[in-house]
Amino acid sequence: MKKSVLAITFTSCFFAFNAQANTSSVTFSGTVTNVTCDTEILTGGVATPSRQINLGTVGLGETGAPVTFKIQSIDPVNGGPCVSAQNGATMLWTAANFDSNGLTNASGTATGAYATILAKPTGGTAQLITGPSPSVSFPSEDISTHGMTFDASLVGDTTPGTYTSVATYSIAYK
C-alpha cells in the first residue's frame, strides 16, 4: 500500500513537472540617450495641455488648411528650454493606423479620411510622416529654441463623419 501511494505521488510530481516545463524568449528594448526632457505641444504659440490638435472641418475629397503645431522640449529641472541635446534629436511616430498617406481614421465615422503630418525641421527638408517613413531628425536649435514644427491637415474621402486618431511620438536626443 505504501509503495503504491509513493508511486502515485512520484508519478504525479513527474507529470506536474513535465506540464510546467516550457521555455521561451523575451525581447527587451529601449533607447539610451544623453538627456531626457519633458515635452509640451504648442498651437499658435500657446501650450495645449490636452495634447489634442483640432484639424477643423473639411469637405468630401478636400484637404483642409494645415494646422501648425510645435513640440517643445523642456528641461525637467528648471522648466526652461532643453539645452542638453546639443546634437539634435530623432523623433519616431507610431500608430497602428499609419499608412503610406498618413494617419488614417481610427475611431471616427468618416471612412477613408486621414491626416497628413508634415515635419518641418529648421534648415532641413520637410518630411511627411507615414507608416513607411515614421521618423525625422531635428537640429539642436529646434530642440533648444524653436520647437519641433509640424503641419497637420485633414483629408476627406467620400464618406462624411468624424475623424479621430491617436499617434505616439518618442524622441531620442543626441
Side-chain angles (χ1 to χ4, degrees):
M1 176 75 171
K2 288 184 181 179
K3 288 182 182 179
S4 63
V5 170
L6 182 60
I8 292 171
T9 303
F10 177 75
T11 305
S12 297
C13 289
F14 179 73
F15 285 120
F17 180 73
N18 276 344
Q20 293 176 3
N22 187 1
T23 61
S24 189
S25 299
V26 176
T27 301
F28 296 92
S29 63
T31 303
V32 177
T33 66
N34 61 350
V35 65
T36 299
C37 299
D38 292 335
T39 60
E40 69 179 353
I41 295 181
L42 307 168
T43 54
V46 177
T48 308
S50 68
R51 296 183 173 263
Q52 186 173 25
I53 307 296
N54 185 344
L55 298 177
T57 303
V58 64
L60 297 177
E62 295 180 357
T63 300
V67 175
T68 300
F69 68 97
K70 294 183 179 201
I71 298 177
Q72 182 71 50
S73 293
I74 299 171
D75 187 306
V77 176
N78 66 22
C82 181
V83 295
S84 299
Q86 296 177 3
N87 295 314
T90 299
M91 179 179 281
L92 173 67
W93 287 87
T94 56
N97 52 317
F98 264 121
D99 70 7
S100 59
N101 292 317
L103 188 61
T104 62
N105 198 354
S107 60
T109 58
T111 306
Y114 61 94
T116 59
I117 302 171
L118 183 66
K120 298 169 64 177
T122 300
T125 303
Q127 178 184 326
L128 188 62
I129 303 297
T130 64
S133 184
S135 64
V136 61
S137 291
F138 284 92
S140 60
E141 62 264 24
D142 286 349
I143 310 305
S144 62
T145 308
H146 308 297
M148 294 167 274
T149 304
F150 297 87
D151 281 345
S153 299
L154 180 60
V155 179
D157 198 21
T158 57
T159 305
T162 59
Y163 172 87
T164 304
S165 259
V166 176
T168 302
Y169 64 83
S170 59
I171 302 170
Y173 298 97
K174 301 176 187 177

